[in-house]
């Protein structure tokens, strides 16, 4: 690890080292939510679509075309948001980049962002080989990794039941080899709904599932933005990627994949 990496507080892998959090911290109130109770496309007052790199290709060599406002890929039905990845090519789209798969990436950028909070997303994950669903946050200032990334949940189909949590900054990120990812086991993550959550305060970030934190990052308090950019707003993203550097090889016979989200709730002090 580099000297910059040593200055960072590490994410803690052991659930035994962290106290359980069964609910939002006492006294925090609900400030934003989507219960997905109106069938059709996701609520445009809450969600936009990220399609910016369809033509040029996505950053992690993923294979999907992210569709905008297309029911086949993002639909609210029966009280749930369903993001579906399919084996198909939308060659007629103006921003088509040659992809053989479609999916969706929803985000609150430009509609809602938060500085500190308790974020809770109840979801059921796909397990098809090559699938890569994620619940995560990015800094509104728009420069990665300097403005920070918080991965509340990542999962890949070739390692079913292994949940990943990460925090990236200008000083701690995977291109520099200083990034830190922690893992926890949720054996039935693909067959049942679970609560994936983030507790974010001025002092620390904790990532957990079903009321128990398994990863932590502590603010050293030295004012170095490269180490702690998390005193500024972040927005939320929900997406289902296909293949890529982390998703790996795709087994076409396993598609379509469904990433189901029961609700998203954000609490603040």
């Amino acid at each position: 690890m580099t000297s910059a990496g040593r200055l960072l507080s590490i994410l803690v892998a052991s659930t035994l080292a962290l106290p359980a959090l069964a609910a939002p911290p006492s006294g925090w109130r609900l400030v934003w939510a989507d219960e997905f109770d109106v069938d059709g496309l996701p609520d445009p007052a809450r969600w936009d679509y990220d399609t910016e790199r369809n033509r040029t290709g996505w950053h992690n060599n993923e294979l999907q075309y992210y569709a905008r406002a297309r029911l086949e890929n993002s639909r609210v039905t029966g009280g749930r948001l369903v993001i579906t990845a399919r084996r198909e090519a939308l060659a007629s789209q103006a921003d088509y980049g040659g992809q053989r798969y479609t999916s969706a990436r929803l985000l609150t950028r430009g509609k809602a962002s938060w500085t500190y909070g308790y974020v809770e997303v109840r979801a059921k994950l796909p397990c098809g080989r090559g699938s890569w669903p994620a619940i995560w946050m990015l800094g509104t200032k728009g420069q990665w990794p300097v403005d920070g990334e918080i991965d509340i949940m990542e999962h890949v189909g070739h390692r079913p039941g292994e949940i990943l949590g990460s925090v990236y900054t200008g000083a701690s990120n995977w291109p520099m080899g200083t990034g830190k990812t922690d893992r926890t086991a949720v054996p039935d993550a693909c067959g049942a709904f679970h609560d994936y959550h983030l507790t974010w305060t001025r002092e620390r970030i904790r990532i957990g599932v079903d009321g128990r934190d398994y990863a932590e990052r502590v603010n050293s308090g030295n004012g170095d933005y490269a180490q702690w950019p998390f005193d500024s707003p972040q927005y939320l993203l929900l997406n289902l990627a296909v293949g890529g550097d982390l998703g790996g090889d795709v087994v076409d016979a396993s598609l379509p994949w469904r990433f189901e989200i029961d609700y998203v709730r954000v609490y603040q002090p």
Side-chain angles (χ1 to χ4, degrees):
M1 182 177 287
T2 66
S3 58
R6 293 190 186 95
L7 291 172
L8 297 171
S9 300
I10 65 168
L11 287 167
V12 181
S14 171
T15 59
L16 297 176
L18 297 170
L21 283 174
S26 177
W28 289 27
R29 62 188 179 89
L30 185 68
V31 297
W32 190 95
D34 198 338
E35 303 294 330
F36 304 112
D37 52 6
V38 177
D39 286 2
L41 288 169
D43 183 355
R46 292 182 171 95
W47 302 100
D48 198 2
Y49 301 85
D50 190 355
T51 63
E52 294 173 358
R53 295 189 63 89
N54 278 336
R55 180 178 291 279
T56 57
W58 293 91
H59 292 289
N60 298 300
N61 299 308
E62 301 133 62
L63 305 176
Q64 76 285 329
Y65 174 94
Y66 279 137
R68 173 177 292 277
R70 184 172 184 256
L71 288 170
E72 292 87 346
N73 298 111
S74 54
R75 177 191 295 264
V76 176
T77 180
R80 297 169 181 170
L81 167 65
V82 181
I83 299 176
T84 304
R86 301 179 179 276
R87 173 73 166 88
E88 59 180 347
L90 296 183
S92 62
Q93 297 297 314
D95 61 346
Y96 178 65
Q99 297 92 342
R100 299 185 300 128
Y101 306 91
T102 65
S103 188
R105 176 186 277 184
L106 277 65
L107 71 175
T108 66
R109 184 178 60 195
K111 298 178 182 292
S113 60
W114 308 272
T115 304
Y116 318 128
Y118 180 89
V119 180
E120 181 181 24
V121 181
R122 184 166 178 80
K124 181 168 65 172
L125 313 181
C127 263
R129 195 169 182 88
S131 61
W132 181 3
I135 302 166
W136 53 306
M137 303 185 79
L138 284 173
T140 59
K141 296 179 182 180
Q143 185 176 355
W144 188 91
V146 176
D147 296 319
E149 173 181 336
I150 306 171
D151 295 340
I152 302 171
M153 185 288 301
E154 288 185 286
H155 178 272
V156 289
H158 61 83
R159 297 184 67 89
E162 182 182 76
I163 302 302
L164 312 179
S166 307
V167 177
Y168 297 128
T169 68
S172 177
N173 55 76
W174 57 263
M176 292 175 55
T178 56
K180 176 68 173 177
T181 294
D182 277 86
R183 296 164 169 81
T184 193
V186 181
D188 65 345
C190 303
F193 282 90
H194 292 272
D195 295 325
Y196 301 96
H197 47 80
L198 162 72
T199 307
W200 168 23
T201 67
R202 187 183 301 273
E203 293 76 26
R204 69 188 71 244
I205 285 171
R206 286 178 168 175
I207 298 169
V209 58
D210 292 337
R212 181 167 296 280
D213 295 323
Y214 67 92
E216 182 178 60
R217 164 83 186 279
V218 177
N219 183 2
S220 67
N222 66 4
D224 184 354
Y225 188 78
Q227 294 186 36
W228 186 266
F230 301 111
D231 295 322
S232 298
Q234 297 239 333
Y235 60 90
L236 182 67
L237 302 95
L238 306 172
N239 68 277
L240 175 51
V242 179
D245 297 338
L246 187 59
D249 294 338
V250 179
V251 175
D252 284 354
S254 66
L255 285 109
W257 306 324
R258 288 165 57 97
F259 179 22
E260 300 185 41
I261 299 96
D262 190 17
Y263 57 74
V264 179
R265 298 171 184 168
V266 180
Y267 300 79
Q268 287 188 311

